[in-house]
Amino acid sequence: MSVILCGCGADSDVTTVTISKKGEITSNIIEDFDKDYYSLEDLDNTISEEVSKYNAANGTDSVTAEKPKKKGDDKVSEKITFASYRDYAGFNNSQFFCGTVADASASGYDLGTSLKSVKDSTKTVTGEEVISDMQDKHILIIDEPLHIVTYGKILYVSDGVSVTGSKEADISKDMDGTGYIIFE
């Protein structure tokens, strides 16, 4: 189930997680759907059941899902919306934090990694600099390989994260551990 419930852009061919300024997380999932015995109805029932279980335990409408749709002959797309980063992390059983650097530090997240500047790839900042100089910036902490779209311009990234646009990045499948993205 976790493979299906990762995250993708509606017009894209890759799973994408979009972070809204209001804190809502949208996961647009694209997955292979190339076996004759796969059924959209079965997939919809499975996801609906998981969403219902999560919402019963964590609050109505914490997670909502649209019906899956065929995308070409061998792919399926599914849009799942999470009320908060906590709901995304809980539903997907993954590490996923999105908030200010100050909030991440206060919540006990390890910010001790070096981050590369997007503007100048030769410039890096340490965790201590991030904590002291970027309290009001936003940070995404994630342990899944995904395409990410943020609502603000990406400033710094950790190893294993490739910036693909001013507000977009790819978290590598080969990333060793946790990925960090600091954005405005």
Side-chain angles (χ1 to χ4, degrees):
M1 180 53 90
S2 67
V3 171
I4 292 176
L5 299 175
C6 292
C8 139
D11 296 327
S12 177
D13 287 332
V14 297
T15 295
T16 301
V17 170
T18 303
I19 303 163
S20 82
K21 201 169 197 168
K22 295 185 283 183
E24 191 175 82
I25 310 296
T26 302
S27 180
N28 290 306
I29 304 157
I30 300 290
E31 291 291 337
D32 289 334
F33 205 72
D34 56 358
K35 304 293 184 220
D36 291 338
Y37 54 86
Y38 286 173
S39 160
L40 283 177
E41 185 177 339
D42 289 347
L43 177 61
D44 184 42
N45 290 339
T46 300
I47 292 173
S48 293
E49 184 178 313
E50 292 297 317
V51 167
S52 293
K53 282 183 196 176
Y54 183 86
N55 285 339
N58 296 284
T60 306
D61 296 330
S62 296
V63 178
T64 58
E66 294 181 3
K67 290 195 173 294
K69 298 175 182 133
K70 286 284 279 181
K71 187 172 172 79
D73 291 336
D74 61 352
K75 300 278 184 188
V76 66
S77 67
E78 171 85 30
K79 181 178 177 182
I80 301 177
T81 303
F82 305 88
S84 72
Y85 74 85
R86 288 178 187 88
D87 294 311
Y88 180 95
F91 187 80
N92 290 295
N93 195 28
S94 65
Q95 179 173 310
F96 192 96
F97 173 88
C98 189
T100 65
V101 169
D103 291 340
S105 179
S107 295
Y109 284 95
D110 178 14
L111 303 178
T113 189
S114 292
L115 303 169
K116 298 176 288 195
S117 170
V118 172
K119 267 189 184 175
D120 178 1
S121 62
T122 63
K123 180 181 176 191
T124 60
V125 294
T126 64
E128 293 80 27
E129 291 171 306
V130 169
I131 293 169
S132 66
D133 299 342
M134 299 184 201
Q135 293 282 308
D136 62 337
K137 300 297 183 209
H138 295 89
I139 188 167
L140 174 65
I141 303 170
I142 186 169
D143 65 357
E144 297 177 281
L146 293 170
H147 182 74
I148 301 291
V149 178
T150 65
Y151 57 85
K153 184 178 177 183
I154 297 173
L155 305 172
Y156 293 91
V157 296
S158 63
D159 287 338
V161 180
S162 302
V163 177
T164 59
S166 66
K167 298 178 181 180
E168 296 186 42
D170 287 326
I171 312 296
S172 171
K173 290 178 185 172
D174 300 325
M175 176 184 65
D176 185 25
T178 303
Y180 298 82
I181 299 173
I182 294 184
F183 61 100
E184 295 181 307

